[in-house]
Amino acid sequence: MTRANLLTPPTHIPPRTALALSQKSPLILANSPTSSLPWPLSLLFSRETPESWTIHENLLLSALRTGDESSAARILARLESRFGAANERIITLRGIYNEATAESDADLEKVFSGYEKILKEDPTNMSIRKRRVAVLKALDRPQDAITAVTVLLQNSPTDVEAWAEASELYAGQQAWGQAIYCAEEVLLIMPNAWSAHAHLATLHYLSHPSTSPLPALALATKHFCRAIELNESYLRAYFGLKQVAATLIPLLSASPSASTAVKRAAQDDDEIPIPTLATVQKLDELATRKLAEIVRCAKRGGREGGGYDEAEVEAVRELLGRSEK
C-alpha cells in the first residue's frame, strides 16, 4: 500500500495518507536503494530503479505537505546529490521546498527574486514560470499572477495547467467571462476531463445573472451531467448538480405562462436548450440518492468508504440536511 501511494501523484494522496507516509520517511529512505553513479550506470551497478526517484520525489512533496521539513531537506539533499543542483527538475523541487519553508512575505520575495534570476538565465524554464505564478498568488498579487500566467500561455498555448490556473485566477477576481473562456480552453485540450467539466459548470452557476439566469444554469446542468457521465462516483458533480437543481426548480415552477416566456426569451438570446421542470426534478432525485449513498459508505469506512475526504462528506451532510427542511 505504501509503495502504491508513493508512486501516485502527491495531489491525489489524501491528507491522512500523506501524513502516514511522511512519518514513515526515515524507514522508507533507509530501505530505498540509491546510487551516486550517473545514469544509466546507476541502473547497471546498483539496485536502483526509475521508481526509486519517483518515490523520493513524491515522498518529498508529502513531507512538505505535512510540515516535516527535516525529512524533506534530507530527501532533497539526496536528489541533488544524485542528479546535481543544476538539473531543471531539481531546481524546481528546490524552489518548492523554499516556498513551503518560507516563514514570511519577505522570504517569499527572496524566492521570487531567485526565480527571476533563473528565468534571466533560462527563459524557457516553464516549471519555474509556473512556480513564479504560485509565489505571486501566495503574496496576494492576483493581477501580477494573471499577467505572469498570460505570458506563460503566450509561450505555451496548449498548457492545460496554465489555462486551469488562469481560470482560477480570473474567478478569484469575479471576472467570470475570462474565467469561463480559460476553462473552455482546458476542455478543448482535454474534453474528457470530468473535473474540468465540473469546474466550468461551477463557473456558470456562480456567474448566472439575476435578470436572465436560465442560460447559465442550463450550461451548469449540462456540464455537471457530463462530469457524472465521465465519472459516476464524482462527488463534486453530484453536489453541484443538486445545488443547480435547487436554484432551477423554483424558476421553472413559476406559472406556466411566465415560465414559458422566460425560457423562450433565454433560448432566443443564447440558443441554449433550457431543461424542463420534470428533467431537473429527476436530476435532483438522482443527485440526492447518490449523495446519500456516499454519506452511508463514508460512515461504514474502510474500502467501502469510497476514499472521500471527511470535509467533503460533511459538506454533503449539510447540503442534504438543508434540502430536507
Side-chain angles (χ1 to χ4, degrees), residues 112-158:
F112 183 79
S113 297
Y115 288 160
E116 294 284 83
K117 182 179 179 181
I118 292 169
L119 289 173
K120 283 182 181 179
E121 298 173 356
D122 181 12
T124 64
N125 192 323
M126 303 306 287
S127 296
I128 292 300
R129 286 194 178 277
K130 292 181 180 182
R131 297 316 312 168
R132 186 172 176 271
V133 174
V135 172
L136 288 170
K137 286 176 61 179
L139 289 170
D140 196 22
R141 293 163 56 182
Q143 293 302 327
D144 290 336
I146 288 173
T147 300
V149 79
T150 300
V151 172
L152 195 159
L153 284 167
Q154 288 173 351
N155 291 286
S156 182
T158 58

mmCIF file of all heavy atoms in Angstrom, residues 112-158:
data_model
loop_
_atom_site.group_PDB
_atom_site.id
_atom_site.type_symbol
_atom_site.label_atom_id
_atom_site.label_comp_id
_atom_site.label_asym_id
_atom_site.label_seq_id
_atom_site.Cartn_x
_atom_site.Cartn_y
_atom_site.Cartn_z
ATOM 1 N N PHE A 112 10.982 34.585 -4.957
ATOM 2 C CA PHE A 112 10.574 35.185 -6.232
ATOM 3 C C PHE A 112 11.776 35.775 -6.964
ATOM 4 O O PHE A 112 11.925 35.600 -8.179
ATOM 5 C CB PHE A 112 9.529 36.277 -5.973
ATOM 6 C CG PHE A 112 8.978 36.911 -7.221
ATOM 7 C CD1 PHE A 112 8.004 36.282 -7.973
ATOM 8 C CD2 PHE A 112 9.453 38.142 -7.655
ATOM 9 C CE1 PHE A 112 7.496 36.855 -9.126
ATOM 10 C CE2 PHE A 112 8.959 38.727 -8.808
ATOM 11 C CZ PHE A 112 7.979 38.087 -9.544
ATOM 12 N N SER A 113 12.642 36.457 -6.226
ATOM 13 C CA SER A 113 13.850 37.032 -6.836
ATOM 14 C C SER A 113 14.738 35.926 -7.406
ATOM 15 O O SER A 113 15.345 36.089 -8.477
ATOM 16 C CB SER A 113 14.624 37.849 -5.800
ATOM 17 O OG SER A 113 13.854 38.943 -5.344
ATOM 18 N N GLY A 114 14.802 34.799 -6.695
ATOM 19 C CA GLY A 114 15.575 33.666 -7.195
ATOM 20 C C GLY A 114 15.011 33.133 -8.503
ATOM 21 O O GLY A 114 15.760 32.800 -9.433
ATOM 22 N N TYR A 115 13.670 33.083 -8.589
ATOM 23 C CA TYR A 115 13.038 32.641 -9.831
ATOM 24 C C TYR A 115 13.333 33.613 -10.974
ATOM 25 O O TYR A 115 13.556 33.188 -12.117
ATOM 26 C CB TYR A 115 11.529 32.504 -9.636
ATOM 27 C CG TYR A 115 11.108 31.329 -8.784
ATOM 28 C CD1 TYR A 115 9.859 31.293 -8.174
ATOM 29 C CD2 TYR A 115 11.953 30.239 -8.601
ATOM 30 C CE1 TYR A 115 9.455 30.218 -7.399
ATOM 31 C CE2 TYR A 115 11.559 29.157 -7.826
ATOM 32 C CZ TYR A 115 10.309 29.156 -7.230
ATOM 33 O OH TYR A 115 9.930 28.076 -6.464
ATOM 34 N N GLU A 116 13.311 34.901 -10.674
ATOM 35 C CA GLU A 116 13.595 35.893 -11.707
ATOM 36 C C GLU A 116 15.017 35.712 -12.253
ATOM 37 O O GLU A 116 15.251 35.817 -13.469
ATOM 38 C CB GLU A 116 13.444 37.308 -11.126
ATOM 39 C CG GLU A 116 12.020 37.665 -10.727
ATOM 40 C CD GLU A 116 11.141 37.976 -11.926
ATOM 41 O OE1 GLU A 116 10.619 37.020 -12.543
ATOM 42 O OE2 GLU A 116 10.990 39.158 -12.252
ATOM 43 N N LYS A 117 15.932 35.426 -11.352
ATOM 44 C CA LYS A 117 17.322 35.214 -11.772
ATOM 45 C C LYS A 117 17.441 33.972 -12.657
ATOM 46 O O LYS A 117 18.141 33.986 -13.686
ATOM 47 C CB LYS A 117 18.216 35.065 -10.537
ATOM 48 C CG LYS A 117 19.690 34.898 -10.862
ATOM 49 C CD LYS A 117 20.520 34.791 -9.593
ATOM 50 C CE LYS A 117 22.008 34.592 -9.918
ATOM 51 N NZ LYS A 117 22.812 34.463 -8.670
ATOM 52 N N ILE A 118 16.743 32.904 -12.279
ATOM 53 C CA ILE A 118 16.775 31.672 -13.071
ATOM 54 C C ILE A 118 16.209 31.914 -14.465
ATOM 55 O O ILE A 118 16.764 31.458 -15.477
ATOM 56 C CB ILE A 118 15.980 30.559 -12.361
ATOM 57 C CG1 ILE A 118 16.690 30.134 -11.070
ATOM 58 C CG2 ILE A 118 15.798 29.343 -13.279
ATOM 59 C CD1 ILE A 118 15.859 29.233 -10.183
ATOM 60 N N LEU A 119 15.121 32.676 -14.553
ATOM 61 C CA LEU A 119 14.479 32.920 -15.845
ATOM 62 C C LEU A 119 15.310 33.838 -16.735
ATOM 63 O O LEU A 119 15.217 33.763 -17.965
ATOM 64 C CB LEU A 119 13.080 33.501 -15.633
ATOM 65 C CG LEU A 119 12.054 32.514 -15.064
ATOM 66 C CD1 LEU A 119 10.751 33.216 -14.737
ATOM 67 C CD2 LEU A 119 11.814 31.363 -16.034
ATOM 68 N N LYS A 120 16.105 34.702 -16.129
ATOM 69 C CA LYS A 120 17.008 35.525 -16.942
ATOM 70 C C LYS A 120 18.052 34.649 -17.627
ATOM 71 O O LYS A 120 18.437 34.896 -18.773
ATOM 72 C CB LYS A 120 17.689 36.578 -16.063
ATOM 73 C CG LYS A 120 16.790 37.750 -15.708
ATOM 74 C CD LYS A 120 17.547 38.782 -14.882
ATOM 75 C CE LYS A 120 16.641 39.962 -14.507
ATOM 76 N NZ LYS A 120 17.363 40.966 -13.680
ATOM 77 N N GLU A 121 18.492 33.628 -16.911
ATOM 78 C CA GLU A 121 19.490 32.713 -17.469
ATOM 79 C C GLU A 121 18.864 31.697 -18.423
ATOM 80 O O GLU A 121 19.490 31.279 -19.394
ATOM 81 C CB GLU A 121 20.214 31.985 -16.329
ATOM 82 C CG GLU A 121 20.991 32.918 -15.401
ATOM 83 C CD GLU A 121 21.560 32.195 -14.193
ATOM 84 O OE1 GLU A 121 21.271 30.976 -14.057
ATOM 85 O OE2 GLU A 121 22.274 32.828 -13.390
ATOM 86 N N ASP A 122 17.613 31.310 -18.137
ATOM 87 C CA ASP A 122 16.935 30.316 -18.972
ATOM 88 C C ASP A 122 15.452 30.666 -19.079
ATOM 89 O O ASP A 122 14.618 30.159 -18.315
ATOM 90 C CB ASP A 122 17.107 28.914 -18.378
ATOM 91 C CG ASP A 122 16.430 27.842 -19.222
ATOM 92 O OD1 ASP A 122 16.038 28.148 -20.368
ATOM 93 O OD2 ASP A 122 16.291 26.702 -18.735
ATOM 94 N N PRO A 123 15.073 31.532 -20.026
ATOM 95 C CA PRO A 123 13.675 31.945 -20.167
ATOM 96 C C PRO A 123 12.725 30.810 -20.546
ATOM 97 O O PRO A 123 11.514 30.964 -20.437
ATOM 98 C CB PRO A 123 13.727 32.990 -21.294
ATOM 99 C CG PRO A 123 15.156 33.401 -21.381
ATOM 100 C CD PRO A 123 15.958 32.212 -20.982
ATOM 101 N N THR A 124 13.271 29.683 -20.986
ATOM 102 C CA THR A 124 12.423 28.565 -21.423
ATOM 103 C C THR A 124 12.057 27.615 -20.288
ATOM 104 O O THR A 124 11.384 26.610 -20.534
ATOM 105 C CB THR A 124 13.134 27.755 -22.528
ATOM 106 O OG1 THR A 124 14.319 27.154 -21.987
ATOM 107 C CG2 THR A 124 13.514 28.647 -23.704
ATOM 108 N N ASN A 125 12.481 27.900 -19.074
ATOM 109 C CA ASN A 125 12.179 27.017 -17.951
ATOM 110 C C ASN A 125 10.720 27.217 -17.529
ATOM 111 O O ASN A 125 10.397 28.068 -16.701
ATOM 112 C CB ASN A 125 13.125 27.311 -16.775
ATOM 113 C CG ASN A 125 13.050 26.243 -15.700
ATOM 114 O OD1 ASN A 125 11.989 25.702 -15.419
ATOM 115 N ND2 ASN A 125 14.187 25.949 -15.089
ATOM 116 N N MET A 126 9.826 26.401 -18.110
ATOM 117 C CA MET A 126 8.391 26.573 -17.868
ATOM 118 C C MET A 126 7.998 26.198 -16.434
ATOM 119 O O MET A 126 7.062 26.766 -15.874
ATOM 120 C CB MET A 126 7.596 25.735 -18.871
ATOM 121 C CG MET A 126 7.907 26.052 -20.336
ATOM 122 S SD MET A 126 7.709 27.811 -20.732
ATOM 123 C CE MET A 126 5.940 27.953 -20.710
ATOM 124 N N SER A 127 8.704 25.244 -15.847
ATOM 125 C CA SER A 127 8.384 24.851 -14.467
ATOM 126 C C SER A 127 8.593 26.019 -13.516
ATOM 127 O O SER A 127 7.778 26.265 -12.615
ATOM 128 C CB SER A 127 9.244 23.665 -14.042
ATOM 129 O OG SER A 127 8.952 22.527 -14.812
ATOM 130 N N ILE A 128 9.668 26.754 -13.704
ATOM 131 C CA ILE A 128 9.932 27.909 -12.843
ATOM 132 C C ILE A 128 8.944 29.029 -13.130
ATOM 133 O O ILE A 128 8.529 29.748 -12.217
ATOM 134 C CB ILE A 128 11.393 28.390 -13.024
ATOM 135 C CG1 ILE A 128 12.347 27.340 -12.465
ATOM 136 C CG2 ILE A 128 11.624 29.734 -12.333
ATOM 137 C CD1 ILE A 128 12.172 27.043 -10.987
ATOM 138 N N ARG A 129 8.522 29.172 -14.369
ATOM 139 C CA ARG A 129 7.489 30.166 -14.684
ATOM 140 C C ARG A 129 6.196 29.858 -13.923
ATOM 141 O O ARG A 129 5.518 30.755 -13.431
ATOM 142 C CB ARG A 129 7.218 30.210 -16.190
ATOM 143 C CG ARG A 129 8.322 30.893 -16.989
ATOM 144 C CD ARG A 129 7.888 31.236 -18.411
ATOM 145 N NE ARG A 129 8.948 31.937 -19.119
ATOM 146 C CZ ARG A 129 9.169 33.234 -19.027
ATOM 147 N NH1 ARG A 129 8.396 33.975 -18.236
ATOM 148 N NH2 ARG A 129 10.144 33.804 -19.697
ATOM 149 N N LYS A 130 5.877 28.577 -13.820
ATOM 150 C CA LYS A 130 4.678 28.189 -13.069
ATOM 151 C C LYS A 130 4.861 28.425 -11.570
ATOM 152 O O LYS A 130 3.938 28.881 -10.887
ATOM 153 C CB LYS A 130 4.351 26.716 -13.343
ATOM 154 C CG LYS A 130 3.886 26.451 -14.763
ATOM 155 C CD LYS A 130 3.544 24.986 -14.982
ATOM 156 C CE LYS A 130 3.088 24.742 -16.409
ATOM 157 N NZ LYS A 130 2.706 23.331 -16.644
ATOM 158 N N ARG A 131 6.055 28.122 -11.053
ATOM 159 C CA ARG A 131 6.312 28.391 -9.641
ATOM 160 C C ARG A 131 6.247 29.890 -9.363
ATOM 161 O O ARG A 131 5.819 30.321 -8.294
ATOM 162 C CB ARG A 131 7.682 27.838 -9.227
ATOM 163 C CG ARG A 131 7.878 26.344 -9.326
ATOM 164 C CD ARG A 131 6.719 25.541 -8.809
ATOM 165 N NE ARG A 131 6.245 25.980 -7.493
ATOM 166 C CZ ARG A 131 5.112 25.584 -6.957
ATOM 167 N NH1 ARG A 131 4.309 24.764 -7.613
ATOM 168 N NH2 ARG A 131 4.741 26.003 -5.765
ATOM 169 N N ARG A 132 6.674 30.685 -10.313
ATOM 170 C CA ARG A 132 6.610 32.147 -10.177
ATOM 171 C C ARG A 132 5.156 32.608 -9.993
ATOM 172 O O ARG A 132 4.867 33.474 -9.164
ATOM 173 C CB ARG A 132 7.220 32.783 -11.422
ATOM 174 C CG ARG A 132 7.363 34.291 -11.411
ATOM 175 C CD ARG A 132 8.165 34.724 -12.630
ATOM 176 N NE ARG A 132 8.264 36.163 -12.743
ATOM 177 C CZ ARG A 132 7.381 36.928 -13.388
ATOM 178 N NH1 ARG A 132 6.349 36.334 -13.990
ATOM 179 N NH2 ARG A 132 7.517 38.233 -13.447
ATOM 180 N N VAL A 133 4.243 32.006 -10.749
ATOM 181 C CA VAL A 133 2.815 32.320 -10.597
ATOM 182 C C VAL A 133 2.341 31.932 -9.197
ATOM 183 O O VAL A 133 1.606 32.682 -8.543
ATOM 184 C CB VAL A 133 1.984 31.589 -11.670
ATOM 185 C CG1 VAL A 133 0.483 31.789 -11.420
ATOM 186 C CG2 VAL A 133 2.353 32.074 -13.069
ATOM 187 N N ALA A 134 2.779 30.767 -8.713
ATOM 188 C CA ALA A 134 2.374 30.306 -7.385
ATOM 189 C C ALA A 134 2.840 31.265 -6.296
ATOM 190 O O ALA A 134 2.100 31.546 -5.337
ATOM 191 C CB ALA A 134 2.939 28.909 -7.133
ATOM 192 N N VAL A 135 4.056 31.791 -6.428
ATOM 193 C CA VAL A 135 4.569 32.725 -5.425
ATOM 194 C C VAL A 135 3.776 34.027 -5.453
ATOM 195 O O VAL A 135 3.450 34.601 -4.399
ATOM 196 C CB VAL A 135 6.072 33.008 -5.650
ATOM 197 C CG1 VAL A 135 6.559 34.115 -4.727
ATOM 198 C CG2 VAL A 135 6.880 31.738 -5.398
ATOM 199 N N LEU A 136 3.443 34.514 -6.638
ATOM 200 C CA LEU A 136 2.650 35.739 -6.746
ATOM 201 C C LEU A 136 1.276 35.556 -6.099
ATOM 202 O O LEU A 136 0.755 36.468 -5.445
ATOM 203 C CB LEU A 136 2.494 36.137 -8.214
ATOM 204 C CG LEU A 136 3.763 36.692 -8.885
ATOM 205 C CD1 LEU A 136 3.561 36.828 -10.393
ATOM 206 C CD2 LEU A 136 4.147 38.043 -8.284
ATOM 207 N N LYS A 137 0.700 34.378 -6.248
ATOM 208 C CA LYS A 137 -0.568 34.094 -5.571
ATOM 209 C C LYS A 137 -0.389 34.109 -4.056
ATOM 210 O O LYS A 137 -1.209 34.671 -3.328
ATOM 211 C CB LYS A 137 -1.113 32.739 -6.015
ATOM 212 C CG LYS A 137 -1.696 32.713 -7.415
ATOM 213 C CD LYS A 137 -2.114 31.312 -7.811
ATOM 214 C CE LYS A 137 -3.172 30.755 -6.905
ATOM 215 N NZ LYS A 137 -3.596 29.378 -7.310
ATOM 216 N N ALA A 138 0.689 33.490 -3.584
ATOM 217 C CA ALA A 138 0.948 33.445 -2.147
ATOM 218 C C ALA A 138 1.182 34.835 -1.574
ATOM 219 O O ALA A 138 0.869 35.101 -0.412
ATOM 220 C CB ALA A 138 2.148 32.547 -1.857
ATOM 221 N N LEU A 139 1.720 35.722 -2.390
ATOM 222 C CA LEU A 139 1.970 37.105 -1.966
ATOM 223 C C LEU A 139 0.733 37.984 -2.131
ATOM 224 O O LEU A 139 0.800 39.196 -1.907
ATOM 225 C CB LEU A 139 3.131 37.695 -2.764
ATOM 226 C CG LEU A 139 4.523 37.146 -2.443
ATOM 227 C CD1 LEU A 139 5.544 37.630 -3.471
ATOM 228 C CD2 LEU A 139 4.950 37.566 -1.039
ATOM 229 N N ASP A 140 -0.384 37.377 -2.515
ATOM 230 C CA ASP A 140 -1.646 38.098 -2.715
ATOM 231 C C ASP A 140 -1.499 39.206 -3.765
ATOM 232 O O ASP A 140 -1.918 40.345 -3.554
ATOM 233 C CB ASP A 140 -2.152 38.691 -1.390
ATOM 234 C CG ASP A 140 -3.621 39.103 -1.471
ATOM 235 O OD1 ASP A 140 -4.331 38.567 -2.358
ATOM 236 O OD2 ASP A 140 -4.047 39.961 -0.675
ATOM 237 N N ARG A 141 -0.922 38.827 -4.898
ATOM 238 C CA ARG A 141 -0.771 39.746 -6.031
ATOM 239 C C ARG A 141 -1.440 39.123 -7.255
ATOM 240 O O ARG A 141 -0.801 38.714 -8.212
ATOM 241 C CB ARG A 141 0.708 40.026 -6.291
ATOM 242 C CG ARG A 141 1.384 40.822 -5.170
ATOM 243 C CD ARG A 141 2.907 40.747 -5.217
ATOM 244 N NE ARG A 141 3.469 41.173 -6.487
ATOM 245 C CZ ARG A 141 4.782 41.154 -6.764
ATOM 246 N NH1 ARG A 141 5.640 40.713 -5.833
ATOM 247 N NH2 ARG A 141 5.234 41.556 -7.928
ATOM 248 N N PRO A 142 -2.791 39.029 -7.212
ATOM 249 C CA PRO A 142 -3.514 38.295 -8.266
ATOM 250 C C PRO A 142 -3.338 38.893 -9.660
ATOM 251 O O PRO A 142 -3.254 38.155 -10.643
ATOM 252 C CB PRO A 142 -4.973 38.346 -7.802
ATOM 253 C CG PRO A 142 -5.043 39.511 -6.878
ATOM 254 C CD PRO A 142 -3.719 39.569 -6.195
ATOM 255 N N GLN A 143 -3.306 40.226 -9.758
ATOM 256 C CA GLN A 143 -3.159 40.833 -11.083
ATOM 257 C C GLN A 143 -1.795 40.501 -11.690
ATOM 258 O O GLN A 143 -1.690 40.214 -12.888
ATOM 259 C CB GLN A 143 -3.356 42.352 -10.987
ATOM 260 C CG GLN A 143 -4.775 42.773 -10.620
ATOM 261 C CD GLN A 143 -5.807 42.256 -11.609
ATOM 262 O OE1 GLN A 143 -5.533 42.124 -12.803
ATOM 263 N NE2 GLN A 143 -7.001 41.968 -11.121
ATOM 264 N N ASP A 144 -0.758 40.534 -10.853
ATOM 265 C CA ASP A 144 0.572 40.164 -11.343
ATOM 266 C C ASP A 144 0.602 38.684 -11.728
ATOM 267 O O ASP A 144 1.255 38.294 -12.704
ATOM 268 C CB ASP A 144 1.629 40.447 -10.274
ATOM 269 C CG ASP A 144 1.858 41.934 -10.060
ATOM 270 O OD1 ASP A 144 1.575 42.711 -10.986
ATOM 271 O OD2 ASP A 144 2.310 42.307 -8.966
ATOM 272 N N ALA A 145 -0.102 37.857 -10.953
ATOM 273 C CA ALA A 145 -0.160 36.425 -11.265
ATOM 274 C C ALA A 145 -0.874 36.194 -12.596
ATOM 275 O O ALA A 145 -0.449 35.351 -13.399
ATOM 276 C CB ALA A 145 -0.867 35.666 -10.142
ATOM 277 N N ILE A 146 -1.947 36.944 -12.839
ATOM 278 C CA ILE A 146 -2.664 36.817 -14.116
ATOM 279 C C ILE A 146 -1.762 37.226 -15.275
ATOM 280 O O ILE A 146 -1.714 36.558 -16.317
ATOM 281 C CB ILE A 146 -3.946 37.684 -14.097
ATOM 282 C CG1 ILE A 146 -4.984 37.053 -13.167
ATOM 283 C CG2 ILE A 146 -4.514 37.842 -15.506
ATOM 284 C CD1 ILE A 146 -6.209 37.911 -12.935
ATOM 285 N N THR A 147 -1.015 38.310 -15.095
ATOM 286 C CA THR A 147 -0.075 38.740 -16.134
ATOM 287 C C THR A 147 0.970 37.666 -16.399
ATOM 288 O O THR A 147 1.294 37.349 -17.555
ATOM 289 C CB THR A 147 0.618 40.048 -15.722
ATOM 290 O OG1 THR A 147 -0.375 41.072 -15.528
ATOM 291 C CG2 THR A 147 1.599 40.506 -16.791
ATOM 292 N N ALA A 148 1.486 37.074 -15.321
ATOM 293 C CA ALA A 148 2.527 36.051 -15.452
ATOM 294 C C ALA A 148 2.008 34.810 -16.170
ATOM 295 O O ALA A 148 2.683 34.246 -17.033
ATOM 296 C CB ALA A 148 3.072 35.678 -14.074
ATOM 297 N N VAL A 149 0.784 34.374 -15.833
ATOM 298 C CA VAL A 149 0.245 33.174 -16.477
ATOM 299 C C VAL A 149 -0.151 33.463 -17.922
ATOM 300 O O VAL A 149 -0.082 32.581 -18.792
ATOM 301 C CB VAL A 149 -0.943 32.607 -15.670
ATOM 302 C CG1 VAL A 149 -2.223 33.369 -15.921
ATOM 303 C CG2 VAL A 149 -1.154 31.122 -15.972
ATOM 304 N N THR A 150 -0.518 34.715 -18.213
ATOM 305 C CA THR A 150 -0.823 35.092 -19.596
ATOM 306 C C THR A 150 0.433 35.002 -20.455
ATOM 307 O O THR A 150 0.398 34.488 -21.586
ATOM 308 C CB THR A 150 -1.399 36.512 -19.653
ATOM 309 O OG1 THR A 150 -2.604 36.574 -18.884
ATOM 310 C CG2 THR A 150 -1.716 36.917 -21.082
ATOM 311 N N VAL A 151 1.552 35.489 -19.926
ATOM 312 C CA VAL A 151 2.829 35.385 -20.645
ATOM 313 C C VAL A 151 3.198 33.919 -20.851
ATOM 314 O O VAL A 151 3.670 33.516 -21.917
ATOM 315 C CB VAL A 151 3.945 36.127 -19.871
ATOM 316 C CG1 VAL A 151 5.309 35.855 -20.504
ATOM 317 C CG2 VAL A 151 3.661 37.617 -19.836
ATOM 318 N N LEU A 152 2.954 33.106 -19.831
ATOM 319 C CA LEU A 152 3.249 31.680 -19.925
ATOM 320 C C LEU A 152 2.446 31.040 -21.060
ATOM 321 O O LEU A 152 2.971 30.243 -21.853
ATOM 322 C CB LEU A 152 2.927 31.015 -18.590
ATOM 323 C CG LEU A 152 3.480 29.609 -18.320
ATOM 324 C CD1 LEU A 152 3.495 29.355 -16.818
ATOM 325 C CD2 LEU A 152 2.659 28.533 -18.989
ATOM 326 N N LEU A 153 1.167 31.419 -21.168
ATOM 327 C CA LEU A 153 0.310 30.845 -22.201
ATOM 328 C C LEU A 153 0.686 31.329 -23.599
ATOM 329 O O LEU A 153 0.485 30.614 -24.578
ATOM 330 C CB LEU A 153 -1.156 31.186 -21.899
ATOM 331 C CG LEU A 153 -1.779 30.358 -20.775
ATOM 332 C CD1 LEU A 153 -3.103 30.963 -20.331
ATOM 333 C CD2 LEU A 153 -1.975 28.918 -21.222
ATOM 334 N N GLN A 154 1.237 32.527 -23.688
ATOM 335 C CA GLN A 154 1.702 33.005 -24.987
ATOM 336 C C GLN A 154 2.842 32.136 -25.513
ATOM 337 O O GLN A 154 2.971 31.932 -26.724
ATOM 338 C CB GLN A 154 2.155 34.457 -24.866
ATOM 339 C CG GLN A 154 1.004 35.435 -24.676
ATOM 340 C CD GLN A 154 1.473 36.846 -24.377
ATOM 341 O OE1 GLN A 154 2.669 37.082 -24.149
ATOM 342 N NE2 GLN A 154 0.545 37.795 -24.373
ATOM 343 N N ASN A 155 3.633 31.615 -24.590
ATOM 344 C CA ASN A 155 4.756 30.764 -24.972
ATOM 345 C C ASN A 155 4.363 29.291 -25.064
ATOM 346 O O ASN A 155 5.046 28.510 -25.742
ATOM 347 C CB ASN A 155 5.901 30.918 -23.959
ATOM 348 C CG ASN A 155 6.553 32.286 -24.024
ATOM 349 O OD1 ASN A 155 7.295 32.589 -24.954
ATOM 350 N ND2 ASN A 155 6.261 33.125 -23.052
ATOM 351 N N SER A 156 3.290 28.919 -24.383
ATOM 352 C CA SER A 156 2.863 27.510 -24.369
ATOM 353 C C SER A 156 1.338 27.459 -24.396
ATOM 354 O O SER A 156 0.694 27.191 -23.370
ATOM 355 C CB SER A 156 3.409 26.807 -23.127
ATOM 356 O OG SER A 156 3.056 25.442 -23.126
ATOM 357 N N PRO A 157 0.731 27.713 -25.561
ATOM 358 C CA PRO A 157 -0.733 27.854 -25.644
ATOM 359 C C PRO A 157 -1.523 26.566 -25.426
ATOM 360 O O PRO A 157 -2.748 26.620 -25.321
ATOM 361 C CB PRO A 157 -0.951 28.388 -27.068
ATOM 362 C CG PRO A 157 0.248 27.954 -27.832
ATOM 363 C CD PRO A 157 1.382 27.969 -26.861
ATOM 364 N N THR A 158 -0.862 25.423 -25.351
ATOM 365 C CA THR A 158 -1.584 24.172 -25.102
ATOM 366 C C THR A 158 -1.314 23.623 -23.704
ATOM 367 O O THR A 158 -1.562 22.448 -23.435
ATOM 368 C CB THR A 158 -1.188 23.106 -26.146
ATOM 369 O OG1 THR A 158 0.232 22.890 -26.097
ATOM 370 C CG2 THR A 158 -1.582 23.536 -27.547
#
